């Protein structure tokens, strides 16, 4: 799949509601080798197109790619890729943005709950104060924009920091709700663990990018 060249008008698709717990739930194609090759080529083309242009409209279109094409289309390309690869990292950036766009109030509440225990990550993530729904939506767009018009590793580190804070917030909410709703608390705890793993993968991808080894 290649990025929009400005001449083609993408066919609109309704994005699927997406939450952090769903980050790893998509399946890829039947031929792993060909899917992997296509995923890497598409990711490289997308990143090079964005980083090679000074046109903010191109960056804006790339950020909204999942809105236009549907998150399922991106999942088909990248969700099966190793987490610590360029397509795997891009998939996580798009998935996190989609989760924020779908559930901004919920994620803002988790973020706010987690900030008291993660001041450093809060600074890295860069969410405006106070961290409400609009603020986390802007942050998600800004992070993904940075992957194309800023430092790619910084975008990955910022997204990782956001995941760590949300994970802490989910843990706090799980602790407070467990006596009355054990099932909900368990789901929040599992989601928290998965978000921490996502953060670790994004941080490793950022380190690999700085070494020139992320492909």
């Amino acid at each position: 799949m290649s990025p929009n060249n400005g001449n083609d008008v993408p066919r609109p698709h309704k994005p699927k509601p997406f939450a952090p717990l769903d980050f790893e739930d998509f399946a890829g194609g039947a031929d792993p080798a060909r899917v992997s090759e296509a995923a890497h080529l598409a990711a490289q083309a997308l990143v090079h197109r964005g980083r090679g242009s000074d046109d903010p409209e191109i960056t804006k279109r790339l950020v909204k790619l999942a809105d236009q094409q549907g998150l399922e289309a991106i999942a088909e390309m990248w969700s099966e890729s190793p987490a610590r690869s360029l397509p795997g990292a891009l998939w996580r950036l798009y998935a996190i943005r989609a989760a924020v766009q779908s559930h901004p109030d919920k994620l803002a509440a988790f973020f706010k709950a987690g900030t008291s225990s993660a001041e450093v990550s809060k600074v890295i993530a860069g969410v405006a104060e106070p961290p409400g729904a609009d603020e986390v939506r802007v942050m998600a767009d800004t992070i993904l924009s940075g992957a194309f018009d800023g430092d790619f590793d910084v975008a990955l580190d910022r997204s990782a920091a956001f995941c760590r804070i949300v994970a802490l917030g989910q843990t706090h909410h799980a602790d407070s709700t467990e006596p009355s709703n054990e099932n909900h608390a368990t789901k929040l705890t599992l989601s928290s663990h998965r978000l921490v793993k996502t953060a670790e993968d994004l941080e490793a991808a950022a380190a690999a990018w700085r070494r020139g080894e992320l492909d």
Side-chain angles (χ1 to χ4, degrees), residues 145-164:
S145 294
F148 302 117
D149 63 11
D151 295 320
F152 191 76
D153 57 325
V154 173
L156 297 177
D157 281 333
R158 288 185 66 190
S159 191
F162 178 75
C163 287
R164 287 191 179 278

Side-chain angles (χ1 to χ4, degrees), residues 109-124 129 131 161-173 175 192 196:
F110 290 147
F111 185 91
K112 186 174 182 179
T115 52
S116 60
S117 304
E119 286 298 323
V120 174
S121 292
K122 177 183 175 183
V123 172
I124 296 172
E129 293 287 348
F162 178 75
C163 287
R164 287 191 179 278
I165 294 172
V166 171
L168 279 171
Q170 289 178 326
T171 299
H172 292 326
H173 277 258
D175 290 342
S192 173
V196 170

Side-chain angles (χ1 to χ4, degrees), residues 9-85:
V9 177
R11 186 174 59 185
H13 293 264
K14 183 179 180 181
K16 177 183 177 181
F18 206 76
L21 195 60
D22 302 323
F23 278 2
E24 308 294 343
D25 288 347
F26 288 90
D31 186 336
R34 295 190 66 179
V35 169
S36 177
E37 180 183 10
H40 281 76
L41 290 174
Q44 290 166 4
L46 202 68
V47 171
H48 292 160
R49 173 69 185 278
R51 297 179 66 78
S53 172
D54 294 327
D55 185 350
E57 285 302 314
I58 289 179
T59 300
K60 184 177 180 180
R61 287 203 298 270
L62 291 175
V63 168
K64 295 182 178 294
L65 182 66
D67 300 344
Q68 298 166 343
Q69 302 296 329
L71 195 65
E72 295 92 338
I74 295 178
E76 288 174 4
M77 284 195 299
W78 294 334
S79 65
E80 289 288 296
S81 299
R84 302 182 182 189
S85 66

Side-chain angles (χ1 to χ4, degrees), residues 89-110:
L90 274 176
W91 161 240
R92 281 154 183 77
L93 291 180
Y94 276 105
I96 291 166
R97 177 185 178 274
V100 170
Q101 297 299 321
S102 296
H103 306 285
D105 293 301
K106 182 184 296 185
L107 290 178
F110 290 147

